[in-house]
Amino acid sequence: MTTGETIRKMSERILRAMKLDKSVYSEVKDDPAATTQSILMPFLIEVVLLVIGTIALLPLWFIYGPWTIGGTPIEIATGILIFIVASIFFVFVPFIIWVFVLFLMGKFVGSKGIQGIQVLRVTGFAFSHAFLYVILFIALIYTAVGGGGVEVAVIAVGGGLIIGLLLFISNVLSFREVADTTTGVSILANIFAFIIFGLIFAGVAVGFGLAIAGLVGVIFP
């Protein structure tokens, strides 16, 4: 399969997942090519949020004036590096933790045939709706710089809840397929998985934050 065909296939699967087409999960579950595609999903989502979000915010730069960045070149470079590392951490690491927790939940509910690699494949596409967060990103920044009022903030929060619900439904559909279980069991499994995920990621995030703080302290004593 050529690169163009791979991109076309992946795009088609993302759109199907966003339409809540449950057949996409049975398709990618046993497709080895879907492994790489699923791993790329968190990074693609981050690129969309950063690149498209930044482009959309350029008009605000001209309206409200340039945002100056203070500090020496080394301080600015270090800040950018920390931002990139933190972005990857807060996108990819949660994804891996979520896949691991879902796999454990699959074992817990008695799914004998569940495989970690299959959970990885379906979960990546179950997060397709996360691309919509770029709309909220733009709305919140627009409000933060004075371009929007309470209405924009309310719309952003409401939109976030809707996207969150769509993500939950997608994960329920994907888990039901990969764990070969009922919808009810899948809903409960996702709820408990989210609680466990929150506890694990909170601890990891604290450790990461302390590590970054220590690095900054070493570079800028």
Side-chain angles (χ1 to χ4, degrees), residues 25 28-32 35 98-107 110-123 174-175 177-180:
Y25 302 116
V28 302
K29 181 180 69 173
D30 298 314
D31 181 8
T35 303
W98 180 245
V99 169
F100 176 70
V101 172
L102 282 181
F103 172 70
L104 293 181
M105 289 304 302
K107 291 292 187 181
S111 178
K112 299 179 180 179
I114 193 169
Q115 299 177 23
I117 192 66
Q118 292 180 329
V119 177
L120 173 68
R121 290 169 185 163
V122 301
T123 303
S174 65
F175 184 81
E177 175 61 36
V178 76
D180 191 22

Side-chain angles (χ1 to χ4, degrees), residues 22-41:
K22 60 184 180 181
S23 67
V24 71
Y25 302 116
S26 59
E27 176 184 311
V28 302
K29 181 180 69 173
D30 298 314
D31 181 8
T35 303
T36 302
Q37 296 174 9
S38 183
I39 292 175
L40 287 174
M41 283 293 287

Side-chain angles (χ1 to χ4, degrees), residues 6-7 9-21 24-25 27-29 31 33-42 44-45 95 118-131 166-167 170-171 174:
T6 300
I7 294 175
K9 189 68 174 179
M10 186 174 179
S11 301
E12 176 192 341
R13 287 172 169 173
I14 291 173
L15 290 175
R16 287 168 58 196
M18 294 181 75
K19 294 177 182 178
L20 300 178
D21 180 358
V24 71
Y25 302 116
E27 176 184 311
V28 302
K29 181 180 69 173
D31 181 8
T35 303
T36 302
Q37 296 174 9
S38 183
I39 292 175
L40 287 174
M41 283 293 287
L44 290 176
I45 292 170
F95 174 70
Q118 292 180 329
V119 177
L120 173 68
R121 290 169 185 163
V122 301
T123 303
F125 288 96
F127 277 91
S128 296
H129 290 100
F131 284 109
L166 291 172
L167 287 171
S170 295
N171 275 273
S174 65

Side-chain angles (χ1 to χ4, degrees), residues 2-105:
T2 65
T3 302
E5 292 174 334
T6 300
I7 294 175
R8 181 189 60 78
K9 189 68 174 179
M10 186 174 179
S11 301
E12 176 192 341
R13 287 172 169 173
I14 291 173
L15 290 175
R16 287 168 58 196
M18 294 181 75
K19 294 177 182 178
L20 300 178
D21 180 358
K22 60 184 180 181
S23 67
V24 71
Y25 302 116
S26 59
E27 176 184 311
V28 302
K29 181 180 69 173
D30 298 314
D31 181 8
T35 303
T36 302
Q37 296 174 9
S38 183
I39 292 175
L40 287 174
M41 283 293 287
F43 296 105
L44 290 176
I45 292 170
E46 181 179 15
V47 168
V48 168
L49 291 177
L50 293 178
V51 175
I52 297 183
T54 300
I55 293 175
L57 290 173
L58 285 178
L60 301 181
W61 189 86
F62 292 104
I63 294 173
Y64 297 102
W67 303 321
T68 58
I69 301 177
T72 64
I74 184 63
E75 290 174 339
I76 295 175
T78 302
I80 293 175
L81 177 61
I82 291 176
F83 174 77
I84 294 174
V85 172
S87 296
I88 294 175
F89 175 84
F90 283 104
V91 171
F92 188 69
V93 173
F95 174 70
I96 295 300
I97 294 176
W98 180 245
V99 169
F100 176 70
V101 172
L102 282 181
F103 172 70
L104 293 181
M105 289 304 302

